[in-house]
Amino acid sequence: MPTMAEVARRAGVSVSTVSHVVNRTRFVSPEKAQLINDAIAAMGYQPNELARSLKVATTNSVGLAISAISNPYFTDIICAVEAECARLGLMVFLSDTQEDPDRELQVVRAFHQRRVDGVILAPSGTPQRAIEYLAGKQVPCVLIDRFADDRFDQIGVENETAMRALIDHVASFGHRRIGYLAGQPGLATTRERIEAFRASLAANGLECLPHYVSPENVDTAGATASTHAILSLPAPPTALVTGNNMTTIGAVRAIREKGLSIPSDLSLVGFDDFEWADCFEPRLTLVGQPCTEIGRQAAALLSARIASSDAAPQAVRLRATLRARESCAKPAHTRQT
């Protein structure tokens, strides 16, 4: 590999002048800059990014720690973060924390040791150690999806208004017995949506029955088991609301295993629209979250935080969109025969 000194000799300038052009640390006349850039192109010179980062105290890189990369919801956010970071001139290092607090701490520590300029984190259910590490090391950080600590910039959706839209939609068909399948235990989003579910029922003059609510579902298998339990009650709900895309899939599986039809026997609506929701029969009514905008704004927030650590942290809530399709209908016992 050619060295900076060899580039300087070919261009007929000093090594320091080449360094200023490469690192953009000082004005260099256009004529000399052109000579240097021509020499770099001809020789195939590649700057030593590690040495450069030590000199200028920045790596132009960020760490992205996601709790479940396989989840299509997070996949869309990852793509948006990467696209915005590329536009901002930032490289993204991605890691899956797998909803494991121990691994989460290992990941953020590894990002810091690799001198990333900042971190975007989707916190686990118990993220305290990772968050305290980031705060203690004063690492610029943005929390996405789950609002876990107001010392950091945070971005997610308006869970309360989105849930209210879902319940208003279901109640408009005449449903009085409405059940709920919550998502991952411990997450701020899970707590917010359970609270919003109860408040939305009350706003519609409906009672929230404890045995109609499954407060913790780790995965699709758990959601399937919970759905079987709720639908086996003596007087089961006539409509189910799901807290995320994983619980939606688990609920659909259980409903089919019981030989029931959506929406003839049971209405189903939920959070997290996904690309293949249109492929279900019937097409599912779901709340679509603005994943692209969450990712884009998270990257922009982090870039601003890296540039200035003095501003007060921001908590950004974006509006979700109810996408009404065909999975909700009047309760069977109210239909005219």
Side-chain angles (χ1 to χ4, degrees):
M1 291 288 291
T3 66
M4 190 176 288
E6 290 169 336
V7 171
R9 282 196 296 271
R10 180 168 182 137
V13 299
S14 68
V15 173
S16 64
T17 302
V18 176
S19 176
H20 287 310
V21 169
V22 170
N23 295 312
R24 300 177 183 176
T25 51
R26 198 185 74 185
F27 173 78
V28 175
S29 70
E31 295 78 11
K32 284 187 179 180
Q34 186 62 52
L35 288 171
I36 292 167
N37 287 325
D38 289 345
I40 288 173
M43 300 175 72
Y45 170 75
Q46 293 291 328
N48 185 326
E49 290 297 332
L50 178 59
R52 178 184 175 277
S53 68
L54 291 172
K55 184 173 183 178
V56 301
T58 181
T59 60
N60 288 329
S61 64
V62 299
L64 176 57
I66 296 296
S67 54
I69 288 177
S70 60
N71 188 325
Y73 166 75
F74 282 120
T75 302
D76 291 342
I77 290 176
I78 291 167
C79 291
V81 168
E82 201 284 327
E84 182 64 12
C85 283
R87 191 188 70 80
L88 295 168
L90 300 171
M91 176 67 69
V92 176
F93 295 107
L94 173 65
S95 186
D96 189 345
T97 66
Q98 301 169 5
E99 297 284 8
D100 181 344
D102 292 333
R103 176 164 173 77
E104 181 177 51
L105 177 60
Q106 293 172 359
V107 167
V108 298
R109 182 182 289 136
F111 282 156
H112 180 235
Q113 291 170 347
R114 284 161 176 75
R115 299 175 62 85
V116 296
D117 297 333
V119 171
I120 296 174
L121 171 66
S124 67
T126 52
Q128 289 77 15
R129 286 182 298 156
I131 285 177
E132 288 305 323
Y133 181 90
L134 291 165
K137 300 297 184 181
Q138 296 183 318
V139 178
C141 178
V142 174
L143 305 179
I144 57 171
D145 185 56
R146 295 111 183 230
F147 285 64
D149 196 300
D150 58 13
R151 289 175 293 178
F152 296 98
D153 296 308
Q154 304 181 90
I155 184 166
V157 299
E158 296 177 356
N159 287 305
E160 183 178 349
T161 57
M163 182 63 75
R164 179 62 186 271
L166 272 176
I167 299 304
D168 286 353
H169 178 76
V170 174
S172 72
F173 286 89
H175 290 279
R176 310 292 296 175
R177 305 199 308 268
I178 303 173
Y180 183 65
L181 298 175
Q184 184 83 15
L187 300 182
T189 49
T190 301
R191 293 191 298 271
E192 288 178 5
R193 290 172 191 175
I194 291 175
E195 292 169 3
F197 173 76
R198 292 172 176 148
S200 297
L201 287 180
N204 278 276
L206 303 176
E207 184 180 2
C208 181
L209 300 176
H211 50 285
Y212 281 177
V213 177
S214 175
E216 299 181 357
N217 292 282
V218 175
D219 51 24
T220 56
T224 298
S226 295
T227 304
H228 273 290
I230 290 174
L231 296 183
S232 297
L233 293 169
T238 59
L240 273 181
V241 179
T242 56
N244 59 30
N245 52 15
M246 296 294 103
T247 55
T248 299
I249 293 169
V252 169
R253 182 178 294 132
I255 291 165
R256 290 181 175 173
E257 287 173 355
K258 291 187 75 68
L260 301 176
S261 176
I262 303 170
S264 300
D265 301 311
L266 179 73
S267 290
L268 180 68
V269 302
F271 261 82
D272 291 348
D273 197 14
F274 43 90
E275 187 176 0
W276 22 280
D278 271 346
C279 299
F280 280 77
E281 182 58 43
R283 296 163 64 240
L284 300 177
T285 292
L286 299 169
V287 165
Q289 300 197 57
C291 297
T292 298
E293 194 61 15
I294 290 173
R296 189 193 69 77
Q297 289 200 33
L301 281 169
L302 184 60
S303 178
R305 180 59 56 189
I306 292 168
S308 174
S309 60
D310 297 331
Q314 297 185 56
V316 180
R317 295 273 189 177
L318 302 179
R319 293 190 69 86
T321 304
L322 175 63
R323 292 170 183 156
R325 299 187 179 107
E326 294 98 30
S327 62
C328 194
K330 291 181 178 181
H333 68 274
T334 66
R335 296 180 205 139
Q336 294 182 347
T337 57

